[in-house]
């Protein structure tokens, strides 16, 4: 990836992160930590990779993405808004009654959201169903899913892993956002699903391990996934929960809490500084 | 009298899927390692390229079906009722129901007529569970004729449908002139003293009860309610007004099923006695299906008894 493009993607990603802070601040709730850990992945896919059209979000041949870790909805909403699927002003209505932007992704009402998600484990299966449809009907779109590390404690993730490999869904690429924290503590303290790479390998997937905040590595992994002809690809993305907002980084209590006005101002100032420094 | 054929509604399901494939090929059928039993195996044999076995993983299958349907295609997902509606309830609710996706669930082996496999596999809660999902259509056909039409009608409807089929071969009660319509109850016998609203294999029992009641000078109206959601409110209210007493009959728990659906309408719009024939808040047991129907009080004589109670309870 050339340096100019990388800087542009970093800027889009930081703009989306600002929307995560604004949304969870206005809602006084939500999941900023796990949103900030997967924003670069979403930014790369929606700005550089996926065949999508913000003006025609339902076009039939589009690439699809399922945010299986649906609680990271603010990241998806932020990226979709910055990408032009809907006005960024909508973010301020996040989690409010009758708002388009529900607490978890709502396929029926949000332009650009390909599947309702949030009940963990279900999104990866739905993504596999989309990939199966593409294969069955000879459509050439690709399907992406983002799962959480904590989410991987759900048995359904492994039902889906078995299914996608058995059906040779090489048009499916799943990112595992490995930020090492879940609601009740570290993975180790709760019920660790690690090692994810070895597990996906054992389930007969093509496995790539990357730094999930590095656009070069994200791009290379997605390109490698496209070249794989007989297996789905799992990209194990090592990430930092709360990435780029210093006081949120690696702090479990920022899994599911919105920043207050003071904290939001501090976070936005830091993100603006990061944008200015690009 | 012509000989009555016995056909399980699951057999009609498999055959109807094959018939549908003669008309359109923009769909697939999923199963969870029960194709031989759910009769999607019949479809698999005829159209192997349109069939996918998801293995023993019903939760994944339901969400896969949702994702498949989200691409604008039709999909059938099949398993036993216990696993389709029970084990995978939350996948049906969140993956299929919430986005209102075009998934048709073919749930076989519903009720206690599963027989010898016993309580773990005798699902008497599925109608109750599915009824709580907004936008879900529920169809419980009475015989093979109705099952076939229900499958073809469900394929034409845009949205999730739960179709309930049985394992037991049951008499074909409807002729080729029978017309099934989603959301419409059908009056099979006119009557004035009491109405029996039956669904599934209990329709045949209700027809027998009609004769038994008639022999005692009681005029019973018999209604087949194949669609349990959305329920046909008009035919229920009319029956309540005109006969003043109702008995419901279903091979399902008395909690949350047809009886509850009918009682909800009656209490809101025209309160009259409603007495339920169903599985009385208990688990099933192993045994020959036809014996179990007697043991659990799901026979014509049980409908007759409840019909008399309902009449006696009229004001």
């Amino acid at each position: 990836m050339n340096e100019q493009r990388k800087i542009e993607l970093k800027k889009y990603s930081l703009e989306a992160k600002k929307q995560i802070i604004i949304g969870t601040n206005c809602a006084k709730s939500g999941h900023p930590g796990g949103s900030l850990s997967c924003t670069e992945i979403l930014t790369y896919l929606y700005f550089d990779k996926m065949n999508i059209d913000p003006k025609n979000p339902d076009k039939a041949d589009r690439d699809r993405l399922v945010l299986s870790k649906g609680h990271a909805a603010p990241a998806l909403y932020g990226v979709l808004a910055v990408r032009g699927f809907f006005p960024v002003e909508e973010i301020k209505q996040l989690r409010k009654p009758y708002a388009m932007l529900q607490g978890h992704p709502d396929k029926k009402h949000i332009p650009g959201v390909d599947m309702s998600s949030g009940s963990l484990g279900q999104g990866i299966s739905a993504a596999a169903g989309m990939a199966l449809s593409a294969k069955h009907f000879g459509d050439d779109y690709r399907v992406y899913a983002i799962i959480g590390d904590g989410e991987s404690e759900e048995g359904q993730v492994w039902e889906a892993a078995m299914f996608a490999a058995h059906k040779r869904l090489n048009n499916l690429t799943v990112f595992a956002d490995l930020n090492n924290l879940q609601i009740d503590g570290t993975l180790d303290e709760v019920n660790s699903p690690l090692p994810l790479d070895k597990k996906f390998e054992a389930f007969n997937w093509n496995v790539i391990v990357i730094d999930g905040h590095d656009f070069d590595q994200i791009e290379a992994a997605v390109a490698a996934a496209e070249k794989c002809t007989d297996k789905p690809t799992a990209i194990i993305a090592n990430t930092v929960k709360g990435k780029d907002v210093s006081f949120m980084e690696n702090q479990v209590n920022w899994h599911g809490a919105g920043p207050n006005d003071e904290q939001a101002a501090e976070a936005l100032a830091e993100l603006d500084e990061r944008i200015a420094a690009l | 009298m012509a000989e009555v054929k016995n056909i399980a509604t699951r057999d009609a399901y498999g055959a109807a899927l094959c018939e549908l494939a003669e008309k359109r090929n923009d769909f697939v059928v999923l199963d969870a390692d029960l194709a031989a039993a759910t009769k999607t195996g019949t479809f698999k044999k005829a159209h192997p390229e349109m069939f996918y076995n998801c293995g023993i993983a019903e939760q994944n299958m339901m969400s896969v079906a949702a994702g498949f349907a989200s691409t604008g295609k039709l999909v059938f997902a099949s398993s036993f009722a216990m696993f389709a509606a029970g084990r995978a309830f939350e996948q049906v609710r969140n993956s299929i129901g919430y986005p209102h996706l075009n998934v048709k669930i073919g749930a076989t082996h519903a009720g206690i007529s599963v027989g010898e496999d016993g309580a773990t596999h005798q699902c008497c809660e599925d109608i109750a569970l599915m009824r709580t999902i907004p936008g879900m259509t529920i169809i419980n056909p009475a015989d093979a004729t109705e099952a076939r039409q229900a499958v073809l009608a469900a394929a034409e409807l845009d949205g999730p449908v739960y179709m309930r089929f049985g394992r037991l071969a049951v008499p074909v009660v409807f002729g080729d002139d029978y017309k099934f319509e989603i959301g419409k109850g059908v009056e099979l016998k006119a009557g004035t003293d009491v109405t029996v609203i039956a669904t599934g294999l209990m329709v045949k029992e209700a027809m027998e009860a009609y004769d038994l009641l008639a022999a005692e000078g009681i005029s019973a109206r018999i209604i087949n309610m194949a669609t349990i959601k959305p329920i046909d409110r008009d035919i229920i209210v009319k029956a309540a007004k005109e006969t003043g007493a109702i008995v419901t009959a279903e091979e399902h728990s008395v909690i949350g099923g047809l009886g509850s659906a009918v009682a909800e309408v009656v209490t809101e719009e025209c309160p009259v006695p409603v007495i339920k024939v169903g599985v009385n808040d208990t688990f099933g047991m192993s045994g020959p299906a036809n014996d179990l129907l007697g043991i659990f009080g799901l026979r014509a004589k049980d409908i007759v008894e409840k019909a008399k109670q309902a009449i006696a309870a009229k004001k």
Side-chain angles (χ1 to χ4, degrees):
Chain A
M1 186 181 295
N2 73 49
E3 286 307 308
Q4 182 58 34
R5 185 59 182 160
K6 207 185 303 179
I7 287 167
E8 285 168 10
L9 288 180
K10 281 183 181 169
K11 180 168 180 296
Y12 294 136
S13 155
L14 289 164
E15 292 290 353
K17 289 185 180 194
K18 286 176 67 180
Q19 298 307 319
I20 294 169
I21 298 300
I22 291 167
T24 54
N25 169 241
C26 290
K28 304 200 178 348
S29 69
H31 299 84
S35 297
L36 292 165
S37 63
C38 64
T39 312
E40 286 86 355
I41 294 165
L42 286 164
T43 301
Y44 170 73
L45 291 172
Y46 278 99
F47 279 85
D48 248 33
K49 187 65 208 172
M50 289 167 63
N51 170 25
I52 42 103
D53 179 1
K55 299 287 171 279
N56 184 14
D58 295 328
K59 68 173 189 152
D61 68 342
R62 72 189 185 279
D63 292 331
R64 273 113 172 134
L65 182 138
V66 182
L67 186 65
S68 197
K69 48 171 290 185
H71 54 281
L76 179 60
Y77 298 163
V79 169
L80 290 175
V82 175
R83 186 70 177 83
F85 279 85
F86 48 82
V88 290
E89 287 72 29
E90 280 289 339
I91 300 282
K92 291 177 181 167
Q93 303 304 316
L94 177 68
R95 292 177 159 250
K96 300 213 162 103
Y98 303 107
M100 180 178 80
L101 300 181
Q102 293 290 295
H104 291 81
D106 172 10
K107 173 192 190 305
K108 275 178 78 180
H109 299 109
I110 310 175
V113 170
D114 292 316
M115 177 53 74
S116 303
S117 60
S119 179
L120 298 177
Q122 297 187 27
I124 181 174
S125 297
M130 295 174 184
L132 181 70
S133 174
K135 285 267 178 194
H136 182 82
F137 292 105
D139 297 323
D140 64 359
Y141 58 81
R142 294 189 64 84
V143 182
Y144 299 90
I146 302 178
I147 63 172
D149 46 10
E151 177 179 11
S152 304
E153 292 159 12
E154 287 281 7
Q156 189 175 350
V157 167
W158 304 104
E159 289 187 3
M162 197 182 304
F163 175 88
H166 181 261
K167 306 306 182 229
R168 298 181 183 277
L169 302 178
N170 66 317
N171 53 347
L172 173 66
T173 301
V174 173
F175 285 87
D177 181 7
L178 180 45
N179 61 32
N180 272 303
L181 291 173
Q182 55 188 118
I183 300 178
D184 278 350
T186 64
L187 297 181
D188 254 352
E189 286 167 342
V190 181
N191 188 33
S192 175
L194 304 184
L196 289 177
D197 53 348
K198 295 283 193 294
K199 283 192 176 66
F200 274 104
E201 277 169 19
F203 278 80
N204 210 21
W205 284 54
N206 176 41
V207 178
I208 302 166
V209 180
I210 63 164
D211 173 344
H213 302 299
D214 183 317
F215 285 108
D216 284 326
Q217 292 189 34
I218 296 170
E219 180 182 52
V222 169
E226 278 182 316
K227 291 200 180 74
C228 186
T229 56
D230 60 345
K231 294 177 180 179
T233 294
I235 300 174
I236 313 300
N238 288 294
T239 60
V240 173
K241 199 153 186 164
K243 175 72 174 174
D244 286 337
V245 176
S246 299
F247 67 87
M248 288 186 176
E249 288 189 356
N250 291 314
Q251 298 300 310
V252 72
N253 53 323
W254 286 110
H255 172 90
N260 64 27
D261 291 351
E262 193 182 337
Q263 291 164 330
E266 183 183 339
L268 291 172
E270 179 176 354
L271 292 167
D272 278 331
E273 278 172 34
R274 290 182 186 277
I275 292 169
L278 287 173
Chain B
M1 190 177 154
E3 192 185 337
V4 177
K5 277 199 287 189
N6 285 335
I7 304 174
T9 50
R10 61 175 167 149
D11 282 306
Y13 172 51
L17 290 173
C18 293
E19 186 181 339
L20 187 64
E22 302 303 322
K23 294 183 203 163
R24 55 191 285 187
N25 62 4
D26 63 336
F27 74 97
V28 298
V29 176
L30 310 180
D31 206 303
D33 195 39
L34 288 170
T38 64
K39 299 301 174 187
T40 63
T42 310
F43 178 84
K44 177 189 176 185
K45 199 171 171 190
H47 302 279
E49 74 290 351
M50 294 168 71
F51 176 87
Y52 293 94
N53 206 324
C54 297
I56 309 169
E58 298 81 8
Q59 300 167 74
N60 177 63
M61 177 177 71
M62 289 304 176
S63 298
V64 162
F68 197 99
S70 79
T71 67
K73 310 296 188 190
L74 175 63
V75 55
F76 289 80
S78 308
S79 184
F80 289 177
M82 189 70 256
F83 314 126
R87 187 188 196 99
F89 169 76
E90 203 238 309
Q91 283 73 15
V92 174
R93 180 201 188 267
N94 275 322
S95 289
I96 298 171
Y98 179 45
H100 199 71
L101 290 167
N102 200 23
V103 177
K104 314 304 169 188
I105 300 166
T108 69
H109 294 61
I112 60 154
S113 60
V114 166
E116 289 81 354
D117 275 354
T120 52
H121 286 56
Q122 291 164 328
C123 187
C124 297
E125 306 87 4
D126 54 329
I127 295 174
L129 287 164
M130 291 296 109
R131 239 167 41 88
T132 62
I133 299 175
M136 178 65 73
T137 294
I138 303 169
I139 308 172
N140 185 33
D143 74 349
T145 302
E146 189 165 60
R148 169 187 168 271
Q149 292 190 35
V151 173
L152 300 178
E156 296 300 315
L157 187 80
D158 185 24
V161 179
Y162 181 83
M163 298 175 290
R164 186 182 207 246
F165 305 114
R167 171 176 185 265
L168 180 67
V170 293
V172 178
V173 292
F174 301 127
D176 292 336
D177 57 338
Y178 180 79
K179 179 81 181 71
F180 166 80
E181 195 180 337
I182 292 174
K184 294 284 183 202
V186 177
E187 185 179 301
L188 302 177
K189 293 282 186 187
T192 53
D193 297 331
V194 62
T195 299
V196 179
I197 302 178
T199 189
L201 59 71
M202 294 305 289
V203 172
K204 184 210 86 166
E205 301 294 330
M207 294 295 275
E208 284 181 27
Y210 173 86
D211 291 333
L212 294 171
L213 287 164
E216 295 189 47
I218 297 170
S219 165
R221 179 179 301 184
I222 308 296
I223 291 171
N224 170 30
M225 195 70 90
T227 309
I228 297 176
K229 189 179 182 182
I231 196 96
D232 185 344
R233 299 179 75 91
D234 293 345
I235 203 169
I236 295 171
V237 172
K238 187 164 179 282
K241 283 181 178 158
E242 293 176 1
T243 69
I246 292 175
V247 172
T248 59
E250 62 195 306
E251 190 202 4
H252 181 276
S253 171
V254 292
I255 297 173
L258 171 71
S260 297
V262 168
E264 285 159 16
V265 174
V266 170
T267 52
E268 284 173 6
E269 300 201 24
C270 182
V272 299
V274 175
I275 300 187
K276 298 173 202 160
V277 172
V279 176
N280 200 16
D281 194 21
T282 183
F283 290 106
M285 67 170 83
S286 291
N290 281 307
D291 292 356
L292 294 177
L293 292 171
I295 290 169
F296 285 88
L298 301 174
R299 287 300 194 194
K301 69 173 177 57
D302 302 295
I303 296 173
V304 167
E305 184 190 327
K306 295 286 165 64
K308 291 177 185 170
Q309 284 177 23
I311 292 167
K314 283 194 209 181
K315 278 179 186 166

